[in-house]
Amino acid sequence: MKFNTKTIHGGQENTDPAYGSVMPPIYQTSTYAQDTPGGHKGFEYSRSGNPTRTALENSLASIENGKYGLAFGSGLAAIDAVLKLLKPGDEVVSTNDLYGGSYRLFTSIFKDFGIKFNFIGMQNAADIEQHITENTKLIWVETPTNPMMNIIDIEAAAKIAKKHKVLLGVDNTFATPYLQQPLDLGADLVMHSATKYLGGHSDVVMGALVVKDKELADKLYFIQNASGAVAGPQDSFLVLRGIKTLHLRVQRHCENGKAVAEYLSNHPKVDKVYWPGLENHPNHDIAKKQMKDFGGMVSFTTKGNELQDAVSFVEKLKVFTLAESLGGVESLAGHPASMTHASIPKEEREKTGVVDSLIRLSVGIEDEEDLINDLKQALD
């Protein structure tokens, strides 16, 4: 199957065996009848497995060209499961420009359990190698990064990881499987905040992991069941439904993202624009190599770098909504320094470019002209 067909049929039964339902039913149940102890039809208890969640997990594996999918209660729950593969004394090399929630989980939770985190710039993938020690067990990559849209060469990172027998995990939330498939580039596991583009309608919170290796999958399934941060059947249904239009939505996100990035690049009040599709964007050539298109996430700063200018801009927006999160059909605007990245100390935040005037836009699928006009009136 090609990708567009996979979003609808990948990993799925053609019809539900009970009544021929075209869509997988929502099995809103906590437990399942057994005709004898251990005599069940594949499901015993919904923390361990639920038919609706299984349908989603099969779909996730299909669209990422993996073999095993796992759905969690949130993106952070999915990352939490990955970190539970580690032991005290283990080390992680992570990009220094990453989602604030990931940074908080690393430094405020798992650091206290004896796991060491090294946050480095990965724009030159070769720099990763000098930070790997005999205790390094995981390289954690976001690309494009949140919110600076930095591009990291997944294939180059994978070669380094394999050389040192280290796991490579890639947060593929911003790109989605439609634009980028890290497992095909050599990653060991892929993570998604399925809350974002996979769900696509700002009505669900969920996380996902996809892997190819059975041994790794078995460890993660054990952690998923033992820790219990699973996705419920209603949420699984919503994300499965969202995936069926992923290819259509992300293509429009990309088209509108390009229009917004080009408009902002030519605006006299705008200083810097961060969008991987711009030819002057750092590692634009790598983005061209590993991505099908460049996505709908755009960040920018205003001249003078004044906090009040950023606040005034987001308050004036009418079509864009000032809100946390991203990846829904509606356009959203955020101020990372005070919202998504507030958990990162100001000094650390600004080292990576998250300055006071930085605005992050999640460009939706509305009419391009309406989006441009909204930006124009808010900047004037």
Side-chain angles (χ1 to χ4, degrees):
M1 287 185 188
K2 301 296 185 185
F3 186 86
N4 294 354
T5 308
K6 279 185 178 182
T7 62
I8 299 166
H9 300 289
Q12 304 300 296
E13 302 288 340
N14 287 330
T15 55
D16 178 66
Y19 296 104
S21 169
V22 172
M23 278 295 289
I26 302 170
Y27 284 91
Q28 195 71 49
T29 183
S30 60
T31 192
Y32 307 82
Q34 303 185 22
D35 51 22
T36 189
H40 52 78
K41 298 178 181 179
F43 298 93
E44 310 166 72
Y45 183 62
S46 277
R47 171 170 42 77
S48 303
N50 175 286
T52 315
R53 193 175 90 219
T54 296
L56 170 63
E57 290 175 335
N58 290 341
S59 174
L60 292 166
S62 172
I63 59 176
E64 278 287 10
N65 290 340
K67 292 183 179 178
Y68 309 96
L70 301 91
F72 294 84
S74 68
L76 283 168
I79 301 173
D80 179 88
V82 173
L83 294 178
K84 285 173 179 168
L85 294 167
L86 307 178
K87 294 179 174 60
D90 288 347
E91 296 185 10
V92 177
V93 178
S94 169
T95 176
N96 61 354
D97 166 28
L98 80 168
Y99 168 52
S102 303
Y103 181 88
R104 181 178 57 223
L105 181 67
F106 292 175
T107 60
S108 298
I109 304 293
F110 281 92
K111 186 178 179 182
D112 289 343
F113 290 99
I115 296 169
K116 182 179 177 182
F117 295 89
N118 296 297
F119 298 97
I120 66 166
M122 293 185 178
Q123 288 88 329
N124 180 2
D127 291 343
I128 297 171
E129 193 158 20
Q130 62 185 296
H131 295 276
I132 294 177
T133 72
E134 60 182 12
N135 295 321
T136 304
K137 298 295 188 291
L138 172 68
I139 299 170
W140 189 257
V141 167
E142 280 182 19
T143 182
T145 61
N146 180 6
M148 302 307 300
M149 312 302 155
N150 286 319
I151 299 298
I152 297 166
D153 190 329
I154 298 171
E155 197 169 19
K159 288 176 181 175
I160 293 167
K162 283 177 172 53
K163 176 182 174 182
H164 293 275
K165 297 181 180 178
V166 172
L167 285 177
L168 173 63
V170 178
D171 182 337
N172 202 29
T173 299
F174 272 25
T176 81
Y178 178 67
L179 300 180
Q180 176 175 277
Q181 293 171 321
L183 295 180
D184 288 350
L185 297 170
D188 296 291
L189 60 91
V190 176
M191 195 287 298
H192 285 276
S193 173
T195 309
K196 314 305 194 294
Y197 287 103
L198 297 186
H201 293 77
S202 301
D203 56 7
V204 65
V205 173
M206 188 186 291
L209 296 175
V210 181
V211 303
K212 284 185 175 180
D213 180 74
K214 186 178 187 304
E215 184 180 355
L216 178 58
D218 287 344
K219 289 178 182 177
L220 289 167
Y221 281 127
F222 177 83
I223 293 167
Q224 180 192 40
N225 183 47
S227 293
V230 296
Q234 176 74 31
D235 289 349
S236 296
F237 175 85
L238 288 171
V239 173
L240 189 59
R241 184 176 68 170
I243 287 172
K244 291 180 185 296
T245 59
L246 178 67
H247 53 304
L248 301 174
R249 290 184 286 104
V250 175
Q251 190 55 53
R252 178 56 63 88
H253 284 296
C254 291
E255 292 166 4
N256 284 351
K258 179 181 181 181
V260 164
E262 290 178 348
Y263 171 76
L264 291 171
S265 295
N266 293 310
H267 197 285
K269 290 186 179 179
V270 171
D271 185 16
K272 295 177 181 176
V273 179
Y274 304 96
W275 184 67
L278 296 173
E279 290 192 3
N280 63 357
H281 187 84
N283 283 356
H284 169 72
D285 289 344
I286 294 170
K288 280 179 67 176
K289 181 184 75 169
Q290 69 187 21
M291 298 174 73
K292 180 179 177 181
D293 206 326
F294 303 106
M297 297 301 300
V298 181
S299 292
F300 71 98
T301 58
T302 52
K303 289 179 178 174
N305 189 32
E306 293 293 334
L307 174 62
Q308 189 51 48
D309 289 342
V311 172
S312 174
F313 170 80
V314 296
E315 288 179 346
K316 287 180 183 176
L317 291 167
K318 294 181 171 62
V319 179
F320 284 81
T321 300
L322 174 61
E324 301 268 3
S325 202
L326 59 105
V329 292
E330 66 291 311
S331 291
L332 302 177
H335 181 243
S338 62
M339 295 170 71
T340 54
H341 290 63
S343 60
I344 300 176
K346 180 180 175 69
E347 185 180 341
E348 293 300 313
R349 202 168 60 221
E350 293 195 341
K351 283 181 187 175
T352 63
V354 184
V355 296
D356 283 347
S357 73
L358 184 76
I359 303 293
R360 189 191 73 181
L361 301 177
S362 174
V363 183
I365 63 173
E366 301 94 339
D367 191 283
E368 173 190 313
E369 187 176 350
D370 290 330
L371 296 177
I372 299 298
N373 286 339
D374 194 33
L375 295 173
K376 181 178 180 181
Q377 65 83 23
L379 281 165
D380 288 346

